[in-house]
Amino acid sequence: LFPYTTLFRSSSLTNAIGTKYLLNNNLTCNLPTIWDWDWDWLPDESGIVFSLQYSDSLIPEYPAGIYAIAPDGEDILRVIPWDWTEDNPDYGYYNFQHYLSPDGKKIAFTLRKYDRNKKVKTYELWSVDIDGQNLTFLDSQSSYIYETSIKWSPEIGRAHV
């Protein structure tokens, strides 16, 4: 089954195990551990969005980043550029955290970016469509201020910090 440990019986994933998606399909994709706070069902249950904060050397085909996956585990889409990895020669990208919009069409996300030449770490805020289109830079800070302060406005569909 999906590599996930449930701490509470009332979690959404525990409830979903009885749904047609997970009852009839094995969602084993050999993905690294996905923590409780690192995934969200899309509002229409057509998939799951999840963040991998760091890469796992045992599964190099899924570097740290943000992904969308179909409920059957067949279609996995990396919604950020493939060269945004910890191994990038110019910049190290890691500690991705996503915030799904209420309608499931956009993702606001934070990341840590390490400039290998300048030896400087920044924390960046971006948004992207669920299909990986319209990647938009929003802000950059030298200290981590975004962790729990990102909220979506349901009326206008914008992320607020």
Side-chain angles (χ1 to χ4, degrees):
L1 192 61
F2 196 63
Y4 180 86
T5 303
T6 303
L7 299 177
F8 303 102
R9 290 193 180 278
S10 62
S11 96
S12 299
L13 188 56
T14 302
N15 295 337
I17 290 174
T19 68
K20 62 182 177 181
Y21 298 115
L22 296 182
L23 187 60
N24 297 323
N25 298 290
N26 184 353
L27 199 53
T28 53
C29 302
N30 296 321
L31 293 173
T33 301
I34 300 171
W35 300 102
D36 186 33
W37 56 85
D38 285 338
W39 67 272
D40 292 294
W41 277 106
L42 292 175
D44 64 0
E45 295 186 4
S46 64
I48 297 170
V49 174
F50 63 92
S51 302
L52 298 177
Q53 293 189 25
Y54 297 94
S55 297
D56 184 336
S57 61
L58 298 175
I59 309 168
E61 63 270 25
Y62 298 108
I66 301 170
Y67 297 83
I69 183 172
D72 62 7
E74 293 295 319
D75 299 315
I76 300 175
L77 171 69
R78 183 175 166 93
V79 299
I80 61 169
W82 275 98
D83 63 341
W84 286 14
T85 67
E86 294 164 291
D87 300 327
N88 181 299
D90 299 317
Y91 299 97
Y93 297 89
Y94 59 99
N95 199 21
F96 294 89
Q97 295 184 358
H98 74 274
Y99 305 87
L100 186 63
S101 66
D103 64 5
K105 294 180 180 179
K106 289 193 139 321
I107 302 168
F109 67 94
T110 60
L111 60 87
R112 291 185 190 178
K113 181 178 175 182
Y114 179 69
D115 185 324
R116 298 187 194 287
N117 297 320
K118 296 179 182 178
K119 309 274 190 243
V120 174
K121 185 185 331 180
T122 57
Y123 302 87
E124 296 185 354
L125 176 63
W126 292 77
S127 70
V128 66
D129 293 348
I130 191 71
D131 62 2
Q133 299 297 308
N134 299 312
L135 181 66
T136 305
F137 172 77
L138 301 173
D139 193 27
S140 177
Q141 300 287 325
S142 61
S143 62
Y144 197 57
I145 62 167
Y146 305 121
E147 186 171 357
T148 59
S149 58
I150 296 176
K151 304 292 181 208
W152 282 94
S153 168
E155 293 84 26
I156 56 176
R158 293 188 186 162
H160 296 276
V161 178

